[in-house]
């Protein structure tokens, strides 16, 4: 079980993704922000709960958790067929992290994630080196958070190389913190 | 929904980057702790209610037995009638029992839900503060542990507790440094806030003064750092001023 650190913010944010559930009991406090959480949801109702809630309630049999539509069978087939054209940011911003959390329940998901990541990351590295063009921008828009971070790292590495070419690699730099907040 | 306030805190924690920190959201923290306290109160109420409910549920079969003991007189009426009365009693008792059991199950689930949310709130709070403290520590090391050098625009965004944390952290490190200085480098002064990972290229560097620093003492005497002047100095003397931004490193390229 690849459970990240307790303090990991990304893990917390990924766990907030909703999954559809069927309630087996009446539950209170599941209303949306507007109603102030005093609405009661009755048994046998379908409701989308955040994953951190649904997972534990499912263990106690208070709800029946179903697989999120992000990883439905049809979606999984699409992912294996053409991973590079998927708009992950539209589908789920924390696609990989959320998938890892769901992977405890659905054993096919980790393998699927791995294949997808392996194929997409090659493209990410390629567009980091290419610089700006239309295709790169479109693809960069479709990345989820994990991939976006990888892209940024690749781009930083690229700029470090060009700095080194200019013989600027060892210049002492002003710390970023002080630069942005100087009065 | 439960846990939404905590989620907002987690999102704010995500906003913290290497060079930017949003203001300490005291209001949000207060909301989350308020929700946590309310949940705990409800949990205690519900568990107290559960105790009375389970004793009530256990009491139902004994009522059934009393009802049956009153029925034998009707056995003379005829078997079917008696069984009808019996069935009525039984269905009454079973609906009563199942209603009570549903109630108990609901309360159990509700308690579990509140408990989960409570832990979630706790986790978000801890992660938020942990991330901010991490940022502060990094900031202090880049400022060479001079907690007074924190730009005022930044310190505005910190809560008073965080400012105290920054000061105490710097002080703790300095006192440790003083304690071991004699042992680690007997003849020199120990500067362990210098970047230990990047080996220096040159002994001397060319710098231009951006902000007036006054005078610094170097090995070759006193140097007056006035804004706009350029100097060729020992790297170790001026490195920290470059990091803070008072000097600018000019690279001969």
């Amino acid at each position: 079980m690849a459970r990240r650190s307790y303090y990991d913010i990304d893990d917390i944010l990924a766990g907030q993704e909703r999954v559809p559930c069927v309630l087996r009991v009446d539950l209170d406090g599941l209303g949306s922000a507007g109603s102030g959480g005093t609405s009661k949801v009755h048994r046998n109702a379908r409701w989308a709960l955040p994953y951190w809630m649904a997972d534990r309630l499912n263990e106690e049999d208070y709800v029946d958790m179903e697989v999120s539509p992000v990883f439905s069978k049809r979606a999984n087939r699409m992912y294996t067929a053409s991973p590079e054209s998927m708009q992950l940011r539209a589908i789920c911003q924390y696609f990989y992290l959320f998938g890892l959390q769901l992977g405890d329940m659905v054993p096919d998901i980790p393998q699927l994630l791995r294949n997808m990541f392996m194929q997409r990351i090659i493209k990410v590295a390629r567009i980091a080196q290419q610089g700006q063009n239309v295709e790169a921008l479109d693809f960069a828009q479709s990345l989820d958070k994990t991939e976006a971070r990888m892209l940024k790292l690749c781009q930083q590495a690229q700029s470090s190389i060009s700095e080194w070419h200019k013989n600027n690699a060892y210049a002492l730099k002003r710390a970023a913190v002080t630069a942005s907040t100087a009065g | 929904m439960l846990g939404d306030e905590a989620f907002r805190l987690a999102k704010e924690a995500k906003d913290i980057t290497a060079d930017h920190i949003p203001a300490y959201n005291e209001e949000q923290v207060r909301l989350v702790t308020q929700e946590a306290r309310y949940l705990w109160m409800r949990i205690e109420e519900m568990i107290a209610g559960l105790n009375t409910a389970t004793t009530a549920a256990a009491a139902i079969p004994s009522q059934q037995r009393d009802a049956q003991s009153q029925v034998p007189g009707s056995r003379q009426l005829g078997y079917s009638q008696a069984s009808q009365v019996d069935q009525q009693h039984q269905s009454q008792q079973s609906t009563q029992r199942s209603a009570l059991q549903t109630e108990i199950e609901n309360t159990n689930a509700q308690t579990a839900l509140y408990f989960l949310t409570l832990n979630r709130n706790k986790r978000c709070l801890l992660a938020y503060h942990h991330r901010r403290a991490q940022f502060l520590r990094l900031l202090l090391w880049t400022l060479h542990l001079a907690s007074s050098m924190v730009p005022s625009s930044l310190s505005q965004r910190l809560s008073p507790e965080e400012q105290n944390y920054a000061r105490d952290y710097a002080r703790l490190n300095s006192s440790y440094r003083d304690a071991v200085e004699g042992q680690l480098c007997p003849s020199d002064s120990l500067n362990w806030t210098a970047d230990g990972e990047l080996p220096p290229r040159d002994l001397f560097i060319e710098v231009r003064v951006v902000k007036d620093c006054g005078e610094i003492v170097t090995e070759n005497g006193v140097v007056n750092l006035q804004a706009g002047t350029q100097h060729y100095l020992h790297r170790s003397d001026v490195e920290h001023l470059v990091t803070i931004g008072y000097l600018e490193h000019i690279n001969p390229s």
Side-chain angles (χ1 to χ4, degrees), chain B residues 149-166:
Chain B
M149 297 290 305
V150 176
S152 59
S153 54
L154 243 184
S155 60
Q156 270 171 7
R157 298 196 217 133
L158 305 174
S159 74
E161 291 88 10
E162 287 176 337
Q163 287 169 0
N164 287 341
Y165 176 74

Side-chain angles (χ1 to χ4, degrees), chain A residues 5-6 9-13 16 25-26 28-29 31 43 52 62 94 167-168 170 172 174-175 177 180-181, chain B residues 1-2 7 13-14 18-19 102 106 108-110 113 116 120 123 139 151 153 201 235 243-245 249 251:
Chain A
S5 143
Y6 182 78
I9 302 282
D10 286 326
D11 200 43
I12 294 179
L13 292 175
Q16 193 78 13
V25 292
D26 301 334
D28 204 357
R43 56 184 54 214
W52 58 269
Y62 292 132
Y94 284 97
N167 211 17
N168 218 13
Y170 295 98
L172 283 181
R174 183 177 190 181
V177 185
S180 60
T181 58
Chain B
M1 183 178 287
L2 291 174
F7 180 57
K14 183 85 179 131
D19 46 1
T102 322
N106 280 352
N108 274 332
Q110 196 68 48
L113 178 63
L116 275 180
R120 177 81 172 173
R123 185 181 180 192
L139 172 68
S153 54
R201 289 279 277 192
R235 188 191 186 90
T243 331
I244 306 177
H249 181 197
N251 208 25

Side-chain angles (χ1 to χ4, degrees), chain B residues 6 12 20 37 64 71 81 102 107-108 111 134-135 143 146 149 154 164 166 176 195 244 246-247 251:
Chain B
E12 286 216 4
H20 164 71
R37 256 182 247 124
Q64 199 176 24
V71 167
Q81 270 189 334
T102 322
T107 320
N108 274 332
T111 318
Q134 204 177 39
F135 175 86
L143 291 177
M149 297 290 305
L154 243 184
N164 287 341
Y176 179 57
D195 195 356
I244 306 177
Y246 281 20
L247 301 180
N251 208 25

